Amino acid sequence: MLDYPTLKIIWWLLVGVLLIGFAIMDGHDMGVGTLLPFVGRSDDERRVIINTVGPHWDGNQVWFITGGGAIFAAWPLVYATAFSGFYWAMLAVLWALFFRPVGFDYRSKIHHPTWRSAWDWGLFVGGAVPPLIFGVAFGNLLQGVPFQFDAFMVSTYTGTFWQLLNPFALLCGVLSSAMITMHGGIYLAHRTEGEVQRRARRAAAWAALVAVLAFLAAGAWLRWGGIDGYAITSAIDPAAPSNPMAKTVARSAGAWWANYGKVPALWLLPALGVAGALAGAALSGAGRTLLAFVASALSLAGIIGTAGAAMFPFVMPSSSLPQASLTIWDCVSSHFTLGLMFWVALIFVPIVVSYTGWAYRVMRGKVTAEHIRANEHSAY
């Protein structure tokens, strides 16, 4: 079996892969939902848009479920603390997600404009709200979350829901929403044609521009805007059992940039985030939509990876008691649990990826209004 410190690193990487996979796969579904009321101007056009993601959205949401399950099993302290502090935010995500299965299944059951319009806006909520909240959550992680542990290692959240909606976190929410909308617009341009495709390309280009500007603004704010980072100031034993209180942590300006100074190659991540978004918009406008989708996916990976690399080894910093901050060394499950989960992931993640690739290959091609009319009872 792999040693404990190696497994801690591996699971940090695997959770990151699952989060990026969720952003890429379920993200383009959410991006399409966000654009639905604006890119689709008629009922036929909106049905075309819905049918680009209809056959895949529920399978893609498995990435979200798997990511949550992996955090629960690999980082139980993070799961418990996050769902305590972000309780109402997570409920808002779940409430928004309720609109997706119901909207997909019931929107076309009744041929009435009011009924269908209502479900179109429901699908918009299901696509737009989760990325916004996830971005706000990441913004709060970078600032530190107000929690601490008592003598029995029970976490206590000392903030309020409204404190989560601070200016920097909202900027991160804009970034998250823009990059997901960009990704969905590029996917929509790849699967459609005509006026819908033209509007999707234009929306993707604007979203890419907003994403790049918000990404650069967030980076500048972290560096020069007075947001302190976190650094471990005591010796740590990577092989020791989890105990968040067995270290000392200091907050200092520029601490989130320390890893980039130690490993200059990490600068490739933010470069990929910016270049991928701009390349995705340009390639989509030039009609190279498949390459544009790949570039957009790389942009998402770069942006998420930038935040992960900056925070390493922190997973959930504490602003009220820095010593209680959760890191990959002290918030994890046992050696046996991480080892067992590693082999399960090694077997099943490739199966999921292979099946997903096969499903997209089988159902590839353009979705048109003619196809919808010819398959009235089987299309969404």
Side-chain angles (χ1 to χ4, degrees), residues 142 227-231 250-256:
L142 287 164
I227 296 177
D228 292 337
Y230 291 71
R251 300 186 66 177
S252 61
W256 286 146

Side-chain angles (χ1 to χ4, degrees), residues 22 32 44 54 57 106 129 136 141 159 183 191 205 291 294 329 337 341 367:
F22 165 62
V32 169
D44 282 346
W57 74 270
Y106 285 94
V129 170
V136 169
L141 288 178
H183 197 50
R191 295 296 310 278
L291 285 177
V294 173
W329 310 121
T337 300
M341 288 171 54
V367 180

Side-chain angles (χ1 to χ4, degrees), residues 273-333:
V274 172
L278 296 178
L283 288 167
S284 177
R288 307 290 297 276
T289 52
L290 182 58
L291 285 177
F293 184 79
V294 173
S296 177
L298 291 175
S299 175
L300 267 60
I303 291 171
I304 297 172
T306 296
M311 291 180 63
F312 182 87
F314 289 89
V315 178
M316 193 171 183
S318 170
S319 58
S320 56
L321 184 62
Q323 181 186 2
S325 298
L326 301 176
T327 73
I328 67 166
W329 310 121
D330 54 31
C331 71
V332 299
S333 294

Side-chain angles (χ1 to χ4, degrees), residues 25 64 135 157 161 189 200 214 280:
M25 300 308 299
F64 177 52
Y157 179 74
F161 171 79

Side-chain angles (χ1 to χ4, degrees), residues 11-348:
W11 273 101
W12 177 76
L13 292 171
L14 282 175
V15 170
V17 168
L18 290 172
L19 291 178
I20 291 171
F22 165 62
I24 293 172
M25 300 308 299
D26 205 22
H28 72 257
D29 296 339
M30 291 183 178
V32 169
T34 302
L35 292 173
L36 173 63
F38 310 103
V39 173
R41 304 289 175 80
S42 66
D43 184 63
D44 282 346
E45 288 182 348
R46 292 183 177 184
R47 291 193 71 189
V48 165
I49 292 169
I50 291 171
N51 276 271
T52 62
V53 296
H56 304 288
W57 74 270
D58 48 353
N60 290 336
Q61 199 152 288
V62 169
W63 288 91
F64 177 52
I65 299 168
T66 305
I71 293 173
F72 171 78
W75 297 341
L77 282 176
V78 173
Y79 187 91
T81 305
F83 274 78
S84 175
F86 298 153
Y87 182 77
W88 288 108
M90 294 299 179
L91 277 182
V93 169
L94 291 176
W95 289 334
L97 290 175
F98 290 159
F99 284 103
R100 300 180 74 200
V102 183
F104 281 119
D105 286 342
Y106 285 94
R107 183 211 182 261
S108 296
K109 297 295 185 184
I110 299 177
H111 198 338
H112 190 280
T114 302
W115 172 269
R116 294 189 173 187
S117 178
W119 285 117
D120 289 340
W121 286 104
L123 289 170
F124 165 79
V125 170
V129 170
L132 176 64
I133 293 179
F134 291 142
V136 169
F138 260 98
N140 279 279
L141 288 178
L142 287 164
Q143 296 175 93
V145 181
F147 72 91
Q148 57 192 43
F149 292 102
D150 62 18
F152 299 99
M153 290 305 296
V154 176
S155 64
T156 302
Y157 179 74
T158 57
T160 67
F161 171 79
W162 300 111
Q163 286 177 314
L164 299 175
L165 305 178
N166 56 79
F168 177 76
L170 291 173
L171 175 62
C172 292
V174 170
L175 166 59
S176 178
S177 296
M179 71 182 193
I180 293 301
T181 302
M182 168 195 71
H183 197 50
I186 290 174
Y187 176 79
L188 197 55
H190 180 62
R191 295 296 310 278
T192 60
E193 56 187 23
E195 281 299 304
V196 172
Q197 184 185 63
R198 184 183 62 80
R199 295 187 202 117
R201 286 175 176 171
R202 186 169 58 188
W206 280 108
L209 179 61
V210 172
V212 168
L213 292 176
F215 184 45
L216 295 175
W221 198 334
L222 275 178
R223 185 66 182 90
W224 298 292
I227 296 177
D228 292 337
Y230 291 71
I232 298 175
T233 56
S234 62
I236 58 171
D237 180 5
S242 293
N243 182 7
M245 304 301 292
K247 65 181 182 300
T248 58
V249 174
R251 300 186 66 177
S252 61
W256 286 146
W257 299 89
N259 289 335
Y260 289 93
K262 297 174 184 175
V263 187
L266 291 176
W267 284 103
L268 292 173
L269 291 171
L272 186 63
V274 172
L278 296 178
L283 288 167
S284 177
R288 307 290 297 276
T289 52
L290 182 58
L291 285 177
F293 184 79
V294 173
S296 177
L298 291 175
S299 175
L300 267 60
I303 291 171
I304 297 172
T306 296
M311 291 180 63
F312 182 87
F314 289 89
V315 178
M316 193 171 183
S318 170
S319 58
S320 56
L321 184 62
Q323 181 186 2
S325 298
L326 301 176
T327 73
I328 67 166
W329 310 121
D330 54 31
C331 71
V332 299
S333 294
S334 68
H335 188 185
F336 175 80
T337 300
L338 294 186
L340 178 62
M341 288 171 54
F342 169 74
W343 291 110
V344 171
L346 199 64
I347 295 170
F348 287 101

